[in-house]
Amino acid sequence: MENKTAPNTTPEQLVLVVDFGAQYAQLIARRVREAKVYSEIVAHTISAAEVKARRPAAIILSGGPKSVHVDDAPKLDASIYQLGVPIFGICYGVQLIAQQLGGEVARGGNGEYGRTLMRRIAGAQSTLLPDSILDQSRDLSVWMSHFDAVTRAPRGFVATASTPDAPMAVIENPAKKIWGVQFHPEVMHTEQGTELLQQFIYRLAGCTPSWTMDSIIDMQVAAVRQQVGGQRVVCGLSGGVDSAVAAALVHRAIGKQLTCVHVDTGLMRKNESAQIVETFHRAMGIELVHVDAGARFFERLAGVTEPEAKRKAIGELFVRIFEENTGGLTDAKFLVQGTLYPDVIESGGQDGTASVIKSHHNVGGLPEDMALELVEPLRSLFKDEVRALGAQLGLPDEIVLRQPFPGPGLGVRIIGEVTPDKVGVLQDADAIVREEIRLAGLEREIWQAFAVLADIRSVGVMGDERTYGRPIIVRAVTSEDAMTADWARLPYHLLEKISSRIINEVAGVNRVAYDITSKPPGTIEWE
Ligand code: XMP
C-alpha cells in the first residue's frame, strides 16, 4: 500500500522528548500533552541539524536504563546543547548533561529507588523550583531510580536541591537554558511533579497551553482537505474506537466525499452493527455501505476448529468482501486508517514515512496491492487522546469508551466450531457481562470484560430437571496496553449477579466460571 509523506500537521509549539531507552519517554510525552503542549518522541540519535529543522520550543531528555559510563551508553549530539533551545534532563538525561558539558557523574552511594526526600540547598538561586514548588521549610517527596548521580556540576551550573544519595539532585543553568533533575517528575508518586514539568514548559521554555482538542480538529481537518483534495475516500468501520474517530474526523473535513464500509461478519457483539448504522449513517449522515455478510462467514467457518485457521479464514473473507464492496467506488483514491501514535513509535516511523499495518490484528488489515493512499489522521495521538477527540466530535460514549475487540470478533471467543446458535448464546451472555460491569461503575477501570463459550458440557439441575449444558467463562482484565494483564478483582456480589443472570436468561448455559489467570502466562483472549 502506498503512503506518501503525510502533510505537515505539527502545531506551532513542539516539545521534543529524546528517548534514551526507558519506558518513561512515552509517559513524559503524555504529561507534556496533558499540559496542552504538543510533544513528540524522537530517537537519541537525532542530530542538531534535525532538531533545528523541527524548530522545537523545548527539548526533554528522558531517563534510560544504562549508566553513562558504559561503552555503548547512548549520547546526545553535543551541538544540540548549543542551539539555545531550552533543555530539561530527567534522570539519565541530567547525568548526560553533566557528563557531556564537563561535570562529573559518579556512584552517589547505594543509589536510590522509590520515594526519596529532597530538600533545597540553602542560598542557591533557583528558576526551576519557585517557593510554590519547594521552599526551604520542608522536604519534597520525589520518585528516584538511579545508581549513578551527578557529583560535580558543569561550569555555569548551580545545584539547587539534594537528596541523601544525590548531592546534586537538581542542576540549573538559566543563562544557557539548561536544567536537569535526578528524579522522575513525570510519575504520579513525585509530589509537585506536574507543577515542576509545567514550570519548565510554561515559565522557562515559554510554551502556552494551546494544543487543545479543538485545535487538533482544526489542524487535522485542514490536513485531510489538503491531502485528498476533491477525491473520494473510503473507510472501513469495524465498530472499534480508532476507525470510528478517524471516520468522524475525516467526515468533518470532507463530508460527502467519504464513503464508509461496515462489514458485519455476524461475529460482532450484540446489536453492534445496528449501532454503527445508527450512529454513523442516521445520526451523522455519513454515506455507509452496510454489508450483512454473517451467512458467508458461517458457511466459511463450518468445521473449522483450530484457532489460527479460524483467524485466517475470517481475515481472508473480510478482505474479499471489503474489496467486493469498494470495487464499485472506482473514483476512490484514499483509504482512512486509524493508526495511533504508539503504533508509529513501535515501528520506528516517527518521521511520517512509515506505513503501519497492525500485523497480529489482521482483520481490517487490508491487502498490500490495494492502490489507495492512506489517510491517517490519528497517527500523532495516544489512545486516551483519541477517545477525547471522539467525544469532542460528538460520538456517543458507547463508541468512544468501547473496549478493544479482536478483529475476528466472537469467532475467537467460541472454542471449537463457530455456528450461528453459539454466536447467539455468546452474544447474550457477553451483553450481560458488559452491562453489569457498566452498572457497577467499573467500565473505566477494566481493560476488557467479556464472555467465552467453552466447547464442553456439564451436568446441572434446574428446578426438577437435570440439565446438560454449556459453561460460559467470564473474563475481565485490567491492563495498560494489553502486553500484560491481570484478572480483575471483581466484587463477589457482582460476579454473583452476572452468574445468576446468565444462567437464568441465556438458554443452554448451566454453569458460569470466572477466569483468574493473568497474562502472562495466559493471554487475554481464549484463542
Ligand atoms: P491476547 O489474547 O493476545 O490479546 O492477550 C491482546 C489484545 O489483542 C486483542 N486481540 C486481537 N485483536 N485481532 C485483533 O484485532 C486478533 O486476532 C486478536 N487477538 C487478540 C485482544 O482482544 C486484546 O485486546
Side-chain angles (χ1 to χ4, degrees):
M1 214 178 286
E2 187 188 0
N3 180 23
K4 291 196 191 123
T5 305
N8 181 15
T9 51
T10 306
E12 289 271 289
Q13 287 181 328
L14 163 69
V15 173
L16 290 180
V17 178
V18 182
D19 185 359
F20 285 102
Q23 72 275 39
Y24 294 111
Q26 277 205 31
L27 196 52
I28 297 168
R30 297 175 63 144
R31 293 283 177 263
V32 176
R33 289 166 174 223
E34 281 162 17
K36 299 191 167 53
V37 177
Y38 182 65
S39 75
E40 270 185 27
I41 299 166
V42 292
H44 67 85
T45 47
I46 192 166
S47 69
E50 286 164 331
V51 169
K52 221 171 146 186
R54 304 285 322 260
R55 302 200 300 123
I59 299 170
I60 299 179
L61 311 182
S62 84
K66 293 233 159 104
S67 160
V68 290
H69 297 299
V70 300
D71 281 346
D72 57 348
K75 297 266 190 277
L76 188 69
D77 175 349
S79 310
I80 293 175
Y81 297 113
Q82 311 306 329
L83 294 176
V85 179
I87 295 178
F88 185 53
I90 294 174
C91 194
Y92 183 86
V94 71
Q95 295 176 10
L96 200 60
I97 289 172
Q99 195 203 42
Q100 290 191 294
L101 296 180
E104 211 170 80
V105 177
R107 195 164 294 180
N110 300 319
E112 289 168 314
Y113 301 92
R115 218 169 77 89
T116 309
L117 289 178
M118 182 175 85
R119 65 176 38 176
R120 279 288 287 270
I121 294 176
Q125 290 292 321
S126 173
T127 49
L128 187 64
L129 303 169
D131 285 353
S132 58
I133 292 179
L134 176 60
D135 65 21
Q136 214 74 70
S137 67
R138 67 202 170 95
D139 293 337
L140 201 64
S141 173
V142 298
W143 195 259
M144 286 283 199
S145 177
H146 71 107
F147 196 58
D148 296 343
V150 179
T151 44
R152 184 161 56 77
R155 200 134 56 97
F157 281 75
V158 284
T160 55
S162 65
T163 63
D165 265 331
M168 302 191 157
V170 178
I171 59 170
E172 311 188 25
N173 186 341
K176 282 217 131 214
K177 298 197 199 157
I178 302 176
W179 295 264
V181 298
Q182 181 57 59
F183 56 93
H184 289 277
E186 74 277 21
V187 305
M188 265 167 20
H189 316 279
T190 291
E191 225 185 312
Q192 301 279 4
T194 306
E195 290 77 4
L196 188 115
L197 274 175
Q198 294 187 357
Q199 174 72 9
F200 171 69
I201 298 165
Y202 297 151
R203 250 83 51 195
L204 304 178
C207 295
T208 47
S210 55
W211 189 69
T212 59
M213 283 301 145
D214 282 332
S215 76
I216 297 170
I217 293 173
D218 290 347
M219 204 155 26
Q220 291 302 334
V221 161
V224 170
R225 284 185 185 148
Q226 187 201 329
Q227 186 186 3
V228 309
Q231 309 275 14
R232 173 139 312 272
V233 179
V234 290
C235 175
L237 270 185
S238 62
V241 182
D242 307 344
S243 64
V245 176
L249 189 57
V250 172
H251 182 249
R252 174 75 63 98
I254 57 165
K256 293 260 171 269
Q257 279 167 250
L258 173 68
T259 304
C260 288
V261 178
H262 169 59
V263 177
D264 178 357
T265 58
L267 305 169
M268 312 284 289
R269 285 164 284 200
K270 195 175 181 176
N271 296 332
E272 201 168 20
S273 279
Q275 196 204 13
I276 290 171
V277 175
E278 175 59 39
T279 304
F280 289 91
H281 185 58
R282 280 198 266 286
M284 297 175 72
I286 295 183
E287 185 178 305
L288 179 67
V289 180
H290 176 202
V291 191
D292 187 359
R296 284 178 70 182
F297 280 89
F298 289 126
E299 192 186 321
R300 176 69 185 80
L301 288 170
V304 183
T305 54
E306 203 276 317
E308 281 313 306
K310 268 194 219 174
R311 269 202 176 73
K312 198 157 174 269
I314 297 170
E316 283 172 0
L317 186 54
F318 181 92
V319 168
R320 193 168 336 132
I321 294 176
F322 189 90
E323 283 182 321
E324 280 168 17
N325 285 278
T326 50
L329 304 167
T330 44
D331 58 339
K333 294 282 179 293
F334 295 88
L335 177 74
V336 178
Q337 191 158 298
T339 313
L340 304 194
Y341 193 43
D343 308 323
V344 177
I345 301 171
E346 271 155 36
S347 71
Q350 295 103 314
D351 55 2
T353 52
S355 151
V356 184
I357 293 163
K358 296 173 191 171
S359 56
H360 163 67
H361 301 171
N362 45 8
V363 171
L366 294 163
E368 300 268 335
D369 57 1
M370 244 182 150
L372 297 173
E373 184 180 326
L374 295 182
V375 177
E376 300 177 296
L378 310 178
R379 61 179 287 132
S380 63
L381 302 180
F382 289 108
K383 189 88 177 185
D384 46 347
E385 295 168 343
V386 169
R387 292 189 203 276
L389 187 66
Q392 187 81 3
L393 287 164
L395 291 175
D397 273 5
E398 301 93 83
I399 288 186
V400 295
L401 298 181
R402 185 163 281 176
Q403 296 171 350
F405 185 61
L410 300 183
V412 292
R413 292 179 181 170
I414 292 170
I415 314 305
E417 189 188 19
V418 178
T419 64
D421 283 354
K422 288 184 189 167
V423 170
V425 167
L426 185 56
Q427 280 178 332
D428 288 342
D430 182 69
I432 292 172
V433 172
R434 289 183 299 118
E435 182 183 36
E436 288 302 329
I437 296 230
R438 181 171 53 76
L439 292 174
L442 294 173
E443 211 172 18
R444 283 171 192 254
E445 284 163 46
I446 288 187
W447 175 266
Q448 272 172 293
F450 54 88
V452 174
L453 183 63
D455 193 25
I456 48 173
R457 284 172 189 267
S458 74
V459 173
V461 55
M462 270 177 116
D464 295 333
E465 298 273 312
R466 174 184 180 277
T467 60
Y468 189 52
R470 288 211 175 80
I472 281 287
I473 294 138
V474 176
R475 180 84 164 132
V477 297
T478 54
S479 176
E480 291 286 320
D481 52 11
M483 301 295 285
T484 60
D486 199 4
W487 58 279
R489 271 47 172 184
L490 296 184
Y492 281 169
H493 63 85
L494 174 59
L495 288 169
E496 182 187 353
K497 184 98 187 282
I498 290 173
S499 163
S500 66
R501 277 197 63 194
I502 291 177
I503 304 278
N504 286 317
E505 296 174 33
V506 186
V509 176
N510 67 347
R511 204 174 279 264
V512 174
Y514 188 51
D515 181 352
I516 53 168
T517 319
S518 62
K519 172 184 179 174
T523 50
I524 294 176
E525 303 291 346
W526 266 53
E527 281 198 338

